């Protein structure tokens, strides 16, 4: 049995789908089970991983756990202590590429470093997936692309090798099931750095229209993101990393191909798969 926190997030949902498709038993923890819409056969448990006591019942029969920091918050050590008590043997942590390569505001890398240290201290076998920025971050552009056919944002020339959530999930599912990944830290990226302008162009190609990137000051971009209802920390995470990658492109590694035996999925493919989200109704 595998337990997935953040089970309705971009990566967690993909992990649940992959494990279920492989015939594995899966427990998905979510705060909103009624709207989870997960595959048949998946055990859905209502709970908040950032309050470990609420998910104690989920650990029965679990051998490995996927930890999503945004779901777990500062409760990593307490959640892992509970997991250990229930016989869990392995933890796979979604971490960040900034732990290894730097970039962005230091406080965010430090939070991931603390989560990694908590996992190591738990005594569980572990794998760290240090992910580049998600291609799915550009979903924040969707409202303005639909309504105005453009992207207003900051740091248009910042280049990152944004990673497709399916690639992260595929590696996570393997690490949960296969002990050969124990004790490994993987830097996971897309195939090549692309600027924000290039990503907007690829979204345009996927939707059949021109989508220009219009440069605005970072503070305006931050206000616009908050006005959309994004959590307070998201603009700083995104804009801080982009500011770094304006002067030095984010890293592009060969990790996906090394582990999966195929090239990493590119942003163009991601944009095509999500074209409906960016298309006018």
């Amino acid at each position: 049995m595998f337990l997935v926190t953040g089970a309705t997030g971009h990566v967690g949902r993909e992990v649940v789908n992959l494990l279920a498709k492989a015939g594995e038993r899966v427990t998905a923890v979510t705060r909103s089970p009624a709207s989870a819409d997960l595959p048949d056969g998946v055990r859905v448990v209502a709970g908040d991983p950032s309050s470990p006591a609420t998910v104690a019942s989920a650990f029965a029969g679990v051998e490995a756990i996927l930890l999503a920091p945004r779901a777990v918050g500062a409760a990593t050590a307490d959640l892992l202590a509970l997991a250990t008590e229930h016989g869990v043997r392995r933890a796979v942590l979604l971490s960040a590429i900034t732990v290894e390569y730097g970039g962005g505001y230091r406080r965010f890398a430090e939070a991931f470093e603390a989560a990694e240290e908590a996992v190591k201290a738990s005594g569980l076998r572990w794998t760290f997936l240090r992910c580049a920025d998600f291609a799915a971050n550009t979903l924040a552009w969707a409202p303005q692309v639909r309504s105005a056919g453009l992207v207003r944002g900051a740091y248009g020339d910042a280049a990152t090798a944004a990673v497709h959530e399916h690639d992260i999930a595929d590696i996570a599912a393997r690490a949960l099931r296969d002990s050969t990944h124990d004790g490994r830290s993987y830097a996971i990226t897309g195939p090549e750095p692309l600027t924000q302008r290039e990503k907007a162009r690829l979204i345009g190609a996927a939707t059949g229209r021109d989508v220009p990137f219009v440069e605005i000051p970072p503070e305006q971009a931050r206000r616009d993101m908050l006005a959309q209802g994004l959590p307070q920390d998201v603009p700083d995470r995104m804009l801080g990393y982009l500011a770094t990658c304006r002067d030095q492109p984010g890293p592009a590694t060969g990790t996906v191909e090394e582990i999966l035996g195929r090239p990493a999925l590119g942003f163009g493919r991601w944009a095509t798969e999500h074209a409906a989200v960016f298309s006018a109704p």
Side-chain angles (χ1 to χ4, degrees):
M1 175 83 76
F2 302 99
L3 188 149
V4 178
T5 65
T8 58
H10 296 298
V11 174
R13 182 178 295 278
E14 287 282 324
V15 173
V16 171
N17 290 342
L18 287 169
L19 290 173
K21 186 176 180 179
E24 301 286 1
R25 294 185 302 147
V26 185
T27 294
V29 175
T30 175
R31 296 176 179 88
S32 305
S35 59
D37 191 26
L38 294 168
D40 292 341
V42 172
R43 179 184 177 220
V44 180
V45 174
D48 180 354
S50 67
S51 299
T54 68
V55 299
S57 64
F59 285 106
V62 170
E63 62 182 276
I65 179 173
L66 177 70
L67 296 168
R70 288 196 67 82
V72 178
T76 302
D78 291 340
L79 185 66
L80 289 172
L82 192 61
T84 302
E85 290 175 12
H86 285 79
V88 177
R89 300 192 297 273
R90 178 181 297 116
V92 176
L93 173 71
L94 299 179
S95 187
I97 196 114
T98 52
V99 170
E100 188 167 337
Y101 288 89
Y105 292 113
R106 180 64 190 149
R107 67 180 184 274
F108 296 124
E110 288 174 348
F112 284 109
E113 289 169 359
E116 291 189 4
E117 289 303 315
V119 174
K120 287 181 179 179
S122 73
L124 297 177
R125 288 175 281 174
W126 54 265
T127 307
F128 299 150
L129 309 185
R130 294 172 174 167
C131 305
D133 59 309
F134 292 2
N137 288 353
T138 59
L139 290 172
W141 295 348
Q144 57 182 315
V145 173
R146 288 196 302 267
S147 63
L150 52 76
V151 173
R152 288 166 44 86
Y155 305 119
D157 294 324
T160 70
V163 62
H164 195 303
E165 60 267 20
H166 184 81
D167 283 347
I168 304 170
D170 200 340
I171 294 173
R174 295 180 188 223
L176 287 166
R177 302 169 70 194
D178 186 350
S179 63
T180 62
H181 300 285
D182 290 354
R184 302 290 301 276
S185 299
Y186 295 123
I188 304 172
T189 75
E192 61 179 342
L194 297 172
T195 68
Q196 305 308 291
R197 300 181 195 282
E198 290 169 326
K199 291 171 188 173
R201 178 182 59 78
L202 288 169
I203 289 171
T207 58
R209 56 176 172 164
D210 181 49
V211 176
F213 187 99
V214 178
E215 189 79 26
I216 61 175
E219 186 53 41
Q220 180 62 55
R222 184 178 188 278
R223 288 196 297 268
D224 289 349
M225 283 190 273
L226 292 175
Q228 290 182 45
L230 294 176
Q232 289 283 332
D233 66 314
V234 169
D236 283 347
R237 288 179 184 274
M238 294 174 63
L239 294 170
Y241 188 60
L242 289 174
T244 300
C245 295
R246 173 187 54 185
D247 301 319
Q248 177 65 44
T253 69
T255 302
V256 170
E257 188 160 10
E258 291 167 10
I259 296 176
L260 303 183
R262 59 162 176 78
L265 302 175
F267 187 85
R269 171 167 173 165
W270 182 92
T272 298
E273 292 171 354
H274 296 80
V277 179
F278 295 94
S279 298

